[in-house]
Amino acid sequence: MQRVIGVSGKKLARALALVTMLAVQSLAFAQASSDPTVDRIRSTSKLTLGYYDEARPFTYQGSPGQPDGYAIAICKAVAASLQEQLKMSSLATEFVQVQANDRYPLVKEGKVDLLCGPSVPTLSSRAEVSFSLPILESGTAILLRKDAPNSFRELLETGHTADRPVWRGSPMLAALQERNFVVIGGSLQEKLLTERRDELHVNSIISTVPDLATGVKMLLDGRADAFVGERSVLLDQANRNGQGKLVVINRVFDREEMAFALSRDDPDFRLLVDTALSQLYLSGKINAIYEQYLGKPDDATKTWFRRAALHE
């Protein structure tokens, strides 16, 4: 008898838990229906996605002139999930090209629902927009010419030279003196690079460029000694545009998580997007997307996606 009562109690508890979960989801859905972004998507049957035209391998102009890339593929999967979650018979997607200086204003103004050009959330950017669950663990790296001096490359890769550690004031820092580092203006890497230079008290030059192509050209022409940027982007540049002369050093600085920006005022839209991303990660479907644009994911990457997902 005790056993029967125990089983019934468990069933009752599960039933109550299920009812509670459905109630929470129903409430969330009801709240989403009054959400400005969701209302706009419902009324127009359209999801507006922002992207960069040259941020390989994340977003770029593919063939024939259509946005393509790792982040674009994830955004398309999110769009399919949103259509299902909102029970819409159809949902069109419109891509809007953005630049670094107008990406967040376009999200704030409602002209972009989801910024597929992934960004690293910072305190200042969180003052303007909100962010989804992360879509990738990012990191800052450095692109060099293969003929760069050994002492320069060794110092950047290991933080040591000639097996000796480098500290502020160290004579080994001579390898950094008057070196010209290029970085895209306004990027997180520009801020990190400036802070590190000031910390080490070296007179390295930091030159800002408007885009990847300009930075790579300066490096190939010998007008710059190193290009600092996001590691996956630099690897892609070295493979496609490096003419066999460029290499990304084997070191990652300042690991960060990249995410999609969305309206700061629409937490329920974020719930729908995060639900879509969690389903993508937990189902394992993310692995095929990752492999298509970034190479076969290793066990650590698969584990990272499972940990990044939110459970019911």
Side-chain angles (χ1 to χ4, degrees):
M1 186 64 181
Q2 287 295 323
R3 178 180 175 79
V4 174
I5 291 175
V7 172
S8 299
K10 289 180 180 178
K11 287 183 176 179
L12 178 60
R14 289 172 182 168
L16 289 173
L18 178 60
V19 169
T20 302
M21 182 184 72
L22 292 174
V24 171
Q25 290 181 337
S26 296
L27 176 61
F29 185 81
Q31 289 173 333
S33 67
S34 61
D35 182 286
T37 303
V38 175
D39 281 351
R40 184 169 57 248
I41 293 172
R42 283 187 183 280
S43 64
T44 61
S45 296
K46 182 179 67 178
L47 177 67
T48 306
L49 305 170
Y51 77 102
Y52 306 116
D53 69 340
E54 57 165 35
R56 286 178 178 266
F58 302 123
T59 74
Y60 54 91
Q61 285 284 358
S63 177
Q66 294 297 314
D68 199 356
Y70 171 75
I72 296 296
I74 294 179
C75 273
K76 288 180 178 178
V78 169
S81 177
L82 291 180
Q83 180 182 346
E84 183 177 344
Q85 291 186 71
L86 295 174
K87 303 186 185 307
M88 299 176 65
S89 59
S90 64
L91 177 62
T93 53
E94 179 183 1
F95 287 94
V96 175
Q97 186 176 324
V98 302
Q99 305 297 329
N101 61 347
D102 68 4
R103 53 182 176 167
Y104 295 150
L106 289 174
V107 173
K108 290 174 65 176
E109 294 166 8
K111 296 178 180 177
V112 167
D113 297 320
L114 191 64
L115 182 59
C116 298
S119 307
V120 175
T122 62
L123 289 176
S124 58
S125 61
R126 282 192 179 278
E128 297 186 75
V129 295
S130 184
F131 290 92
S132 69
L133 290 177
I135 65 163
L136 187 72
E137 186 178 43
S138 170
T140 298
I142 301 177
L143 184 66
L144 299 176
R145 287 188 306 278
K146 290 181 178 178
D147 62 358
N150 289 336
S151 59
F152 182 50
R153 179 170 175 172
E154 184 179 4
L155 179 61
L156 294 175
E157 283 192 324
T158 66
H160 297 68
T161 185
D163 295 327
R164 297 176 62 181
V166 174
W167 61 91
R168 177 177 165 177
S170 169
M172 304 305 170
L173 291 178
L176 295 178
Q177 298 291 357
E178 298 184 355
R179 294 291 181 185
N180 187 8
F181 290 81
V182 290
V183 64
I184 292 180
S187 65
L188 177 63
Q189 285 77 25
E190 180 188 8
K191 179 175 180 293
L192 297 174
L193 186 59
T194 303
E195 291 175 350
R196 186 59 175 157
R197 180 189 62 180
D198 295 345
E199 178 185 339
L200 292 175
H201 282 252
V202 293
N203 63 354
S204 300
I205 301 164
I206 298 176
S207 302
T208 59
V209 292
D211 50 47
L212 290 167
T214 303
V216 170
K217 189 173 189 309
M218 286 181 65
L219 193 57
L220 287 170
D221 292 347
R223 289 179 290 146
D225 298 294
F227 187 4
V228 181
E230 200 283 325
R231 179 175 171 77
S232 298
V233 171
L234 294 184
L235 285 170
D236 181 77
Q237 288 294 316
N239 291 333
R240 292 191 309 106
N241 302 323
Q243 303 173 14
K245 300 177 180 178
L246 303 180
V247 62
V248 178
I249 67 169
N250 188 28
R251 185 182 182 186
V252 178
F253 303 83
D254 303 303
R255 291 185 181 275
E256 303 282 354
E257 293 181 336
M258 304 177 76
F260 294 142
L262 40 79
S263 174
R264 193 167 183 264
D265 300 324
D266 291 345
D268 299 314
F269 179 61
R270 176 180 174 177
L271 176 63
L272 294 171
V273 172
D274 286 348
T275 298
L277 291 174
S278 295
Q279 292 171 345
L280 188 65
Y281 298 167
L282 293 174
S283 67
K285 294 180 180 177
I286 185 64
N287 295 333
I289 296 176
Y290 187 98
E291 182 170 359
Q292 181 178 353
Y293 297 99
L294 301 174
K296 192 175 180 63
D298 56 19
D299 290 342
T301 301
K302 293 177 182 177
T303 299
W304 183 86
F305 279 119
R306 287 195 294 272
R307 289 178 176 172
L310 296 178
H311 294 261
E312 291 287 352

